[in-house]
Amino acid sequence: MEGEQKELPAKAPKAKGKGVIFLAAVIILLALLGFAATKLKGSSTIGGKDAVAFDLYVMSQCPYGVQAEQLVSKVVDDFEDRVNFNVEYIANKNNDGTFQSLHGVNEVEGDKYQLCVKTKYPEKLWTYLECQNKNYQDLKSTFESCAKEADIDFSALKTCAEGEEANNLLTTSLEKAKSLNVAGSPTFY
């Protein structure tokens, strides 16, 4: 009829893109962990129980590595009895014993600090990483504040990170990555 307006069908609400992507990533991660828990033979033990080794290879200032760490950190507590979560690093060791990383010298320093936390304060690693990942492009500015937030003795951490121990830890981590031909951040293994 003239003058009458037809009612248009309501539009479907738009999906929240980031929320959907995050949910999909968590589901995929959980599926992979479930598969690994039942199929992989390369297991370790946690508290005397068999556990699946889950290695995450990253560059400490890589935005994609940071996203992967953020996803993993959300499930660490839920799977701590079944999965041995581990973080390793990707960089290059030069012939003169120095290190080179895609995002520069500050990234190498970040790798060293994170490895020292992993070694000396393993139960506080994910808290430290979560703090640093808030400002991953400027890790140097977070070394002390994130140590404080994670209740880590910064003086001891700094001694490790700026000494030969960190060089040895990073060398070992890089050798592990190289032995598996890991080159991209992030890589799950």
Side-chain angles (χ1 to χ4, degrees):
M1 293 203 238
E2 283 186 53
E4 277 188 45
Q5 292 182 343
K6 289 187 178 181
E7 195 171 311
L8 298 174
K11 291 184 179 180
K14 291 184 179 181
K16 302 225 187 292
K18 289 183 180 180
V20 172
I21 291 171
F22 175 77
L23 181 59
V26 169
I27 291 170
I28 290 169
L29 178 62
L30 293 175
L32 288 171
L33 290 174
F35 173 79
T38 59
K39 300 293 181 190
L40 292 180
K41 294 182 181 177
S43 63
S44 57
T45 59
I46 297 176
K49 297 179 181 178
D50 285 338
V52 173
F54 182 90
D55 291 340
L56 173 60
Y57 293 83
V58 297
M59 298 173 194
S60 59
Q61 288 189 296
C62 172
Y64 306 112
V66 166
Q67 288 174 352
E69 286 175 344
Q70 289 170 333
L71 284 173
V72 171
S73 73
K74 292 182 186 314
V75 299
V76 166
D77 291 339
D78 295 331
F79 290 94
E80 67 185 346
D81 293 341
R82 291 177 233 124
V83 180
N84 183 12
F85 291 98
N86 183 40
V87 180
E88 299 293 346
Y89 296 87
I90 302 166
N92 293 307
K93 187 170 184 177
N94 299 319
N95 291 334
D96 64 359
T98 60
F99 299 94
Q100 181 179 343
S101 192
L102 181 64
H103 303 99
V105 174
N106 288 338
E107 182 168 65
V108 171
E109 278 189 86
D111 295 349
K112 289 179 181 182
Y113 269 85
Q114 291 176 8
L115 281 164
C116 286
V117 170
K118 174 182 145 179
T119 302
K120 298 195 170 293
Y121 308 95
E123 71 285 355
K124 298 177 180 184
L125 175 63
W126 292 99
T127 301
Y128 187 78
L129 291 177
E130 286 174 9
C131 177
Q132 282 204 315
N133 287 344
K134 293 174 190 170
N135 190 17
Y136 69 89
Q137 293 175 323
D138 186 17
L139 289 179
K140 198 169 193 156
S141 72
T142 68
F143 294 154
E144 188 169 2
S145 61
C146 289
K148 186 175 184 176
E149 185 175 312
D151 196 27
I152 293 170
D153 176 0
F154 179 68
S155 178
L157 177 59
K158 184 176 180 180
T159 298
C160 173
E162 295 180 1
E164 195 57 33
E165 183 175 5
N167 290 335
N168 293 335
L169 292 170
L170 186 53
T171 298
T172 300
S173 187
L174 301 181
E175 288 171 352
K176 188 172 181 183
K178 188 174 183 175
S179 73
L180 297 170
N181 294 318
V182 172
S185 173
T187 297
F188 298 94
Y189 207 89

